[in-house]
Amino acid sequence: MSIVTVQLGQCGNQIGFEVFDTLFSDSHSSQGLCSKRENEAYRASCKERFFSEEENGVPIARAVLVDMEPKVINQTLSKAARSGRWKYGQHAYFCQKQGSGNNWAYGYSVHGPKHKESILDLIQKEVEKCDSLSGFFIIMSMAGGTGSGIGAFVTQNLQDQYSNSLKMNQIIWPYRTGEVIVQNYNSILTLSHLYRSSDALLVHENDAVHKICAKLMKIRQISFSDMNQVLAHQLGSVFQPTYSAEGSPHYRRNPLDGFKDPALYTSWLKPVDAFNVWKTQRAFSKYEKSATLVSNSQFLVKPLDMIVGKAWNMFASKAYIHQYTKFGIEEEDFLDSFTLLEQVVASYCNL
């Protein structure tokens, strides 16, 4: 089962490169405690899932790269090619209209529809290379401008055209101190649209990743490259396969004692149904033993409520609304987003 990755904007393309590099490095690293046969099956499964046929002996990532200008994509393509281990195949970039700025509405309402056919054609070509398509992994910023708007647009179209395939979005939650003056507007618009069209959202908070770099990794001058490598390691450990002792890939359910307490879960889910453990003897990357937890919980209630509140305060004073209405995002669209996300917050609070 193969996964086609769609890398959107500067954020998505830079993280996407680190993810593929981590996956490739892991599949070619030490086999750890597993047998040679298990290791070979692990490597073959990783290759089938994330890389397509080789070109001159070099595996090609199952990915489509999209950005509004060539700089980041060219850097990403070159970086992969220089490694000599793997490279990218399909890619697309579209020069941004003069004067549009970094605008979510422009990405969603203008740029996306204008280049819809070209983007979906590139994705279709990657899909046709898969013997069996598992789904799509879309990497994007949540609070960025045009790229986030296009990301929401592309995800919506993937839902329309590939309704039976998984659409999973990995989104980067912005720093609470703020990177973009309208980041709260962009965030609520992105989240509300993805809520309707994506099957799953994997959320990483910039503040949390920054703290990992500073306190656990003891990095003094933290760069986005440092943070992206942490993100890639976490994502890689989620996506790599598990195997039985005979070497056949599968997922093994084995709830641990510490997670059997019903108080940890909502009343309508039994612990045995709410918690799954997937195991493998194969070491991940350079770590002989590691564990990754993916949870659907209330931890996002506070940051989500905070972003909705800040966006509402701006909206109530009509701040920067004209930047969106001139490209077709009306006040009613904002109100719909506020209503939906407030419902999401309320639902999680009632778990």
Side-chain angles (χ1 to χ4, degrees):
M1 300 290 282
S2 301
I3 296 173
V4 172
T5 298
V6 182
Q7 303 176 185
L8 290 150
Q10 178 175 345
C11 173
N13 280 297
Q14 290 178 341
I15 294 174
F17 167 80
E18 296 293 351
V19 169
F20 278 107
D21 206 51
T22 296
L23 291 168
F24 185 90
S25 297
D26 169 61
S27 67
H28 288 75
S29 64
S30 170
Q31 64 191 58
L33 301 175
C34 72
S35 66
K36 182 179 179 180
R37 184 180 175 185
E38 282 182 301
N39 188 56
E40 289 174 351
Y42 182 96
R43 184 175 295 182
S45 182
C46 174
K47 182 178 178 181
E48 178 190 3
R49 187 174 294 183
F50 295 104
F51 297 92
S52 59
E53 77 280 359
E54 295 187 358
E55 186 175 289
N56 298 323
V58 180
I60 301 173
R62 297 187 189 275
V64 173
L65 290 69
V66 180
D67 204 354
M68 276 50 69
E69 56 184 7
K71 181 180 178 181
V72 172
I73 285 186
N74 287 339
Q75 290 174 343
T76 305
L77 295 174
S78 298
K79 205 172 178 181
R82 285 198 306 269
S83 74
R85 304 185 303 168
W86 64 275
K87 68 178 187 177
Y88 284 106
Q90 300 290 345
H91 65 279
Y93 65 80
F94 306 103
C95 293
Q96 190 167 332
K97 174 185 172 184
Q98 291 290 328
S100 66
N102 195 21
N103 189 293
W104 192 97
Y106 183 76
Y108 182 82
S109 300
V110 180
H111 232 49
K114 180 180 179 181
H115 299 288
K116 170 184 173 181
E117 187 175 337
S118 298
I119 295 172
L120 293 181
D121 182 57
L122 286 172
I123 293 173
Q124 178 63 31
K125 288 179 180 178
E126 283 300 326
V127 170
E128 290 172 355
K129 295 178 183 178
C130 304
D131 291 332
S132 179
L133 177 68
S134 176
F136 300 92
F137 183 46
I138 303 116
I139 310 176
M140 56 188 280
S141 167
M142 184 175 85
T146 314
S148 297
I150 287 187
F153 178 83
V154 169
T155 304
Q156 181 177 307
N157 279 272
L158 289 177
Q159 172 60 21
D160 293 339
Q161 294 203 17
Y162 302 93
S163 57
N164 294 326
S165 298
L166 176 72
K167 273 73 61 181
M168 178 179 288
N169 293 68
Q170 194 265 345
I171 55 175
I172 306 301
W173 203 275
Y175 283 106
R176 295 182 186 180
T177 52
E179 302 164 72
V180 181
I181 196 166
V182 290
Q183 70 174 30
N184 298 309
Y185 280 164
N186 294 345
S187 296
I188 66 161
L189 290 168
T190 299
L191 286 171
S192 62
H193 282 77
L194 293 183
Y195 184 84
R196 298 183 182 100
S197 56
S198 180
D199 296 303
L201 301 182
L202 282 176
V203 179
H204 285 90
E205 292 184 274
N206 265 340
D207 289 295
V209 179
H210 195 279
K211 188 178 292 185
I212 289 173
C213 291
K215 296 192 173 182
L216 295 182
M217 302 177 70
K218 308 297 183 184
I219 300 174
R220 292 186 176 181
Q221 294 183 327
I222 300 169
S223 66
F224 278 114
S225 178
D226 295 323
M227 296 175 65
N228 290 343
Q229 288 175 22
V230 171
L231 290 168
H233 185 89
Q234 293 185 358
L235 291 169
S237 64
V238 170
F239 285 125
Q240 289 292 51
T242 56
Y243 296 89
S244 67
E246 291 73 35
S248 58
H250 80 305
Y251 292 117
R252 291 165 53 183
R253 300 181 59 200
N254 181 21
L256 303 178
D257 292 339
F259 290 90
K260 290 183 178 179
D261 184 358
L264 292 173
Y265 310 105
T266 186
S267 59
W268 42 267
L269 266 181
K270 296 179 180 178
V272 68
D273 298 316
F275 183 73
N276 293 310
V277 175
W278 302 338
K279 293 182 177 180
T280 179
Q281 292 283 58
R282 173 60 155 75
F284 176 73
S285 191
K286 61 183 179 181
Y287 300 99
E288 186 174 289
K289 296 181 180 180
S290 62
T292 302
L293 176 66
V294 180
S295 68
N296 183 6
S297 65
Q298 294 178 324
F299 93 98
L300 270 181
V301 168
K302 185 176 180 180
L304 176 57
D305 194 42
M306 187 179 300
I307 277 184
V308 171
K310 288 180 178 179
W312 177 258
N313 290 337
M314 290 178 64
F315 181 78
S317 62
K318 307 297 182 185
Y320 302 102
I321 293 296
H322 67 283
Q323 293 186 9
Y324 297 82
T325 56
K326 69 180 180 180
F327 292 120
I329 299 298
E330 304 297 337
E331 292 187 14
E332 289 75 12
D333 297 312
F334 278 95
L335 292 173
D336 288 344
S337 295
F338 284 124
T339 300
L340 188 150
L341 295 178
E342 286 169 355
Q343 290 173 348
V344 171
V345 169
S347 296
Y348 272 94
C349 287
N350 290 329
L351 287 178

